[in-house]
Amino acid sequence: MSQPRVFSGVQPTGNLHLGNYLGAIRNWVKLQDGHECIYCVVDMHAITVWQDPADLSRATREVTASLIAAGIDPVNHILFNQSKVPAHAETAWIFNCVARMGWLNRMTQFKEKAGKDRENVSVGLYAYPNLMAADILAYKATHVPVGEDQKQHLELARDIAIKFNHDYEVEHFPLPEPLILGEATRVMSLRDGTKKMSKSDASDQSRINLTDGADDIDQKIRRAKTDPLPLPETVEELGARPEAANLLTIYAALGDEPLAKSVADFAGKQFSDFKKALTERAIAVLSPLSTEMRRLLADPGHIDRILADGAERANAIAAPILAETKRIVGFL
Ligand code: TRP
C-alpha cells in the first residue's frame, strides 16, 4: 500500500547522552542507508511536562546539533521540529476522538510518570500517545525505530490506524512496524549498573553527555562504579556483575564489535587497565561529535534554518495526507 518510510522522534529535554547515542541515534544514522527517513525533535511532546521556554528553545537547538553531529543528514533526509508542522496537532485531535479511554488507561509509561500525582498532571501527558501516533501516521510512516519503552505506544498507533480505517471504511493509514536494529544496546548508569542511563538522574556522574569534553569523559569513567573482582572470563558471568556488564557493553558498542570479543580481550584483567582502554575509545568516538556540536551551536541561526527547511519538506509530505484525512472525516 505505501512505500517504506522511517519516522522517529526525540524529545528536546536536557542533553542527549551516551545511552541515547548507542541505543537509538546510531541506529537512526544507519537507517539513512536505503530508507527515506524523517526525524523529528518533538517539542510538543516535551511540554506535556513543564519546560521553561528559554530552556526548551535551547534544548531544541542542542538536540538538533547532536543529531547532525552524530551523522543525521538533514539534506538527503528530513530533520525538523514538530511544532513547525501543523499536521501533528491537527491529526492528534482527530486521534483523540478515535482512541478509547480504556486504551490510554493501559499505558504503563503514563502510570509511571504520573505516579501518585494523577489528578495533577497535564491532560497532554495522558493524551501523549495519541500525538505520537499522529507524528507517525501524518506521514504514513511504515517503520519506526523505537526502544523497548516506546513499544506499547507504537502498538497504540497501530490500534488507532486500524480503528480509523475500520470506522471510516477506508485503507488510509498503513500499520507502522517497530524497527529493532541488531542487539539493542542498553546503556546503564555509571553509578548503578542496574538503572538505565538517564537524563533525569540527579547525578551528572551517572551519564556521559554528548557535550562532555575529553576531561569529563576521563573523569566520569575513572569514577564509574565497578566491583572488586578482575574482569570476567565469559559473557555468562556478566549476568551477576551489572557494572562490569555495563562498561564492557559500552566498550563493545563504541567499537562496533561483539560483546564476546571485548570480554575475551579483557578476561582476567584489572578494571584500571580496562578503564584506560574504555576512556581512550570513548574519547576517540565522542570528542569529534562534541567538537562538531560546539561548532554548530556557535551559529544558532544556521540550526534554525536547517529546522525550517526540514519543516517545509515535512509539511509538503504531511499536508496532502492531512487534507485526505480531513476529507475522510467529513470536514468541509
Ligand atoms: N515518545 C518518544 C520518546 O519519548 C518520542 C516520540 C515522539 C516518537 N513521537 C514519536 C518516537 C514517533 C517514535 C515515533 O522517546
Side-chain angles (χ1 to χ4, degrees), residues 5-21:
R5 177 177 285 154
V6 169
F7 183 99
S8 201
V10 59
Q11 292 203 42
T13 47
N15 250 308
L16 295 186
H17 53 67
L18 185 63
N20 303 124
Y21 177 65

Side-chain angles (χ1 to χ4, degrees), residues 7-11 42 45 128 132 135-136 144-146 150 153:
F7 183 99
S8 201
V10 59
Q11 292 203 42
V42 291
H45 277 89
Y128 169 122
M132 179 164 156
D135 298 339
I136 298 163
V144 182
V146 282
Q150 296 298 319
H153 293 159

Side-chain angles (χ1 to χ4, degrees), residues 181-254:
L181 285 172
E183 46 181 300
T185 306
R186 263 173 76 81
V187 177
M188 313 306 278
S189 158
L190 298 180
R191 310 298 297 164
D192 177 351
T194 63
K195 264 181 26 195
K196 236 175 109 173
M197 185 176 282
S198 160
K199 55 188 157 196
S200 50
D201 195 312
S203 164
D204 193 57
Q205 296 293 321
S206 71
R207 63 185 160 261
I208 294 176
N209 304 301
L210 295 188
T211 43
D212 284 346
D215 289 348
D216 301 307
I217 295 174
D218 177 58
Q219 188 233 78
K220 286 178 180 180
I221 293 177
R222 209 141 16 91
R223 292 192 192 159
K225 191 171 169 200
T226 56
D227 59 41
L229 301 173
L231 284 149
E233 310 270 343
T234 64
V235 173
E236 288 67 46
E237 289 168 63
L238 290 177
R241 300 181 58 188
E243 280 78 25
N246 186 37
L247 296 178
L248 279 160
T249 300
I250 292 173
Y251 183 80
L254 283 170

Side-chain angles (χ1 to χ4, degrees), residues 141-155:
T142 55
H143 295 86
V144 182
V146 282
E148 207 49 54
D149 62 326
Q150 296 298 319
K151 267 200 186 152
Q152 193 186 31
H153 293 159
L154 190 59
E155 203 49 53

